[in-house]
């Protein structure tokens, strides 16, 4: 390819840029996960060669690096490894966000300021709110099967509060490959722009001479149902994930504007998803129409004027 294009647009609006970059034959460093969530089948159909899409999310960059441990063919450095029978599972790590350990009854009146106080990452407001509901991990869950050709059942989210292990690959022989680094996006961005070269002085190495501990714990799906909704959408149809993302964009925008409480974000996503019938083989026109419907329906359920999700 002649160039690498970085798509860092926020939200489903980034789909058009993703499709254009792929159709031009450019290698795509993809930080706009919503492209795959909204139009996954369109994106995969537009790819012209293996490894054209390089994931920039820290979790998927970590998985791409870990999967290379199972590549036997000399010189093969594509981040997409298909048909790898030795693979057992992909483990997606999540920090747990600012409300880790809380119960639903404790989260009824949380403020935007509290939701934006992420314990380990400095991110934009939309991604940070998505982290507080675990919807961000739900979007990661939808993205991973499309990037790595792995069945959703083989993808396991886990809470890792320290945000040092960015994700892991477990093999059939029982070994696990983990990618670990401080929570800083410079490393996955650099790898996305120059795959698969580890350039010097990108990030600060972990200090192995210092006492430290890493912990892992299961997801509290009762308090944070976003992950279960994402898996449900992924299994339902090619357009259910688009509906999930659009309704979530509306809810997050309304929450940040102080128009709705935090818990209404995911409740609205669930309600809109429940009304969608799904399209199994959508065209771009179908996807855009479904997205507009989900924007409008979520806004209607929340008593909001217009389609605030489109402003993100």
């Amino acid at each position: 390819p002649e160039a690498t294009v970085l798509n860092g647009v926020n939200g489903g609006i980034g789909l058009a840029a993703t499709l254009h970059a792929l159709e031009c034959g450019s290698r795509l460093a993809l930080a706009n996960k919503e492209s795959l969530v909204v139009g996954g089948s369109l994106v995969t159909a537009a790819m012209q060669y293996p490894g054209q899409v390089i994931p920039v999310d820290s979790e998927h960059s970590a998985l791409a690096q870990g999967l290379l441990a199972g590549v036997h063919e000399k010189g093969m450095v594509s981040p997409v490894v298909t048909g790898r029978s030795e693979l057992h599972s992909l483990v997606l790590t999540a920090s747990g966000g600012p409300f880790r350990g809380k119960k639903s009854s404790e989260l009824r009146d949380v403020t935007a300021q509290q939701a934006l106080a992420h314990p380990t990452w400095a991110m934009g407001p939309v991604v940070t709110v998505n982290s507080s509901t675990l919807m961000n991990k739900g979007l990661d869950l939808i993205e991973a099967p499309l990037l790595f050709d792995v069945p959703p059942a083989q993808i396991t989210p886990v809470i890792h509060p320290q945000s040092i292990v960015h994700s892991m690959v477990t093999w059939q022989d029982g070994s696990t490959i983990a990618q670990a680094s401080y929570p800083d996006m410079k490393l996955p961005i650099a790898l996305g722009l120059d795959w698969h070269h580890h350039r010097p002085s990108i990030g600060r190495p972990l200090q192995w001479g210092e006492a430290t501990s890493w912990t892992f714990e299961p997801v509290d799906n009762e308090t944070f149902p976003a992950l279960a909704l994402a898996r449900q959408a992924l299994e339902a149809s090619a357009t259910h994930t688009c509906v999930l993302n659009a309704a979530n964009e509306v809810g997050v925008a309304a929450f940040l504007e102080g128009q709705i409480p935090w818990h209404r974000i995911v409740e609205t996503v669930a309600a809109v998803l429940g009304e969608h019938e799904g399209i199994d083989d959508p065209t771009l026109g179908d996807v855009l129409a479904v997205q507009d419907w989900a924007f409008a329906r979520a806004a209607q359920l929340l008593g909001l004027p217009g389609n605030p999700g489109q402003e993100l």
Side-chain angles (χ1 to χ4, degrees), residues 10 31 33-34 57 115-116 118 123-133 135-136 252 256:
N10 184 60
K33 70 182 68 181
E34 293 90 348
D57 281 340
L116 293 172
H118 198 283
M123 304 177 290
V126 174
V127 178
T128 307
V129 172
N130 282 343
S131 180
S132 77
T133 62
M135 183 60 78
N136 198 49
V252 170
L256 288 171

Side-chain angles (χ1 to χ4, degrees), residues 20-300:
H20 183 69
L22 295 176
E23 289 162 1
C24 289
S26 299
R27 175 165 281 175
L28 177 64
L30 186 61
N32 173 249
K33 70 182 68 181
E34 293 90 348
S35 295
L36 283 165
V37 173
V38 170
S41 61
L42 302 175
V43 174
T44 54
M47 293 181 190
Q48 298 184 26
Y49 51 88
Q52 188 177 7
V53 174
I54 309 296
V56 173
D57 281 340
S58 67
E59 300 87 350
H60 299 96
S61 177
L63 292 174
Q65 294 174 68
L67 284 167
L68 289 177
V71 173
H72 310 307
E73 293 82 359
K74 183 178 180 181
M76 183 176 178
V77 293
S78 167
V80 180
V81 180
T82 60
R84 188 58 56 191
S85 61
E86 299 96 329
L87 181 68
H88 177 272
S89 60
L90 304 181
V91 182
L92 281 171
T93 58
S95 69
F99 304 138
R100 181 180 67 87
K102 302 290 186 181
K103 296 300 180 183
S104 298
S105 60
E106 302 174 82
L107 299 173
R108 304 297 291 183
D109 300 314
V110 298
T111 65
Q113 183 178 8
Q114 290 172 312
L116 293 172
H118 198 283
T120 54
W121 284 97
M123 304 177 290
V126 174
V127 178
T128 307
V129 172
N130 282 343
S131 180
S132 77
T133 62
L134 292 196
M135 183 60 78
N136 198 49
K137 205 53 46 185
L139 302 182
D140 288 345
L141 177 67
I142 293 168
E143 189 180 7
L146 295 163
L147 284 170
F148 304 118
D149 193 28
V150 172
Q154 287 182 257
I155 302 170
T156 303
V158 66
I159 302 299
H160 170 52
Q162 294 79 24
S163 299
I164 296 294
V165 175
H166 296 280
S167 278
M168 297 175 276
V169 175
T170 297
W171 300 96
Q172 292 285 3
D173 62 5
S175 66
T176 294
I177 303 295
Q179 189 272 318
S181 59
Y182 290 115
D184 187 329
M185 284 303 299
K186 291 195 292 290
L187 180 59
I189 290 171
L191 282 169
L193 291 173
D194 194 17
W195 185 262
H196 148 264
H197 298 286
H198 293 272
R199 299 302 184 186
S201 304
I202 300 297
R204 181 168 64 99
L206 293 173
Q207 302 302 302
W208 297 106
E210 299 175 1
T212 188
S213 62
W214 301 343
T215 59
F216 301 89
E217 56 196 59
V219 175
D220 178 356
N221 288 301
E222 183 176 346
T223 303
F224 302 98
L227 268 167
L229 284 176
R231 197 178 289 277
Q232 172 188 322
L234 184 59
E235 295 171 352
S237 80
T239 53
H240 272 79
T241 55
C242 174
V243 168
L244 175 133
N245 183 74
N248 184 68
E249 288 189 10
V250 172
V252 170
F255 170 68
L256 288 171
E257 291 294 324
Q259 296 171 307
I260 65 169
W262 179 85
H263 64 88
R264 289 292 305 280
I265 300 172
V266 177
E267 288 176 359
T268 302
V269 172
V272 179
L273 271 178
E275 296 182 12
H276 182 55
E277 294 184 2
I279 302 171
D280 289 326
D281 189 20
T283 64
L284 178 58
D286 292 331
V287 167
L288 296 177
V290 164
Q291 182 172 248
D292 284 344
W293 170 81
F295 279 145
R297 184 57 179 145
Q300 183 181 34

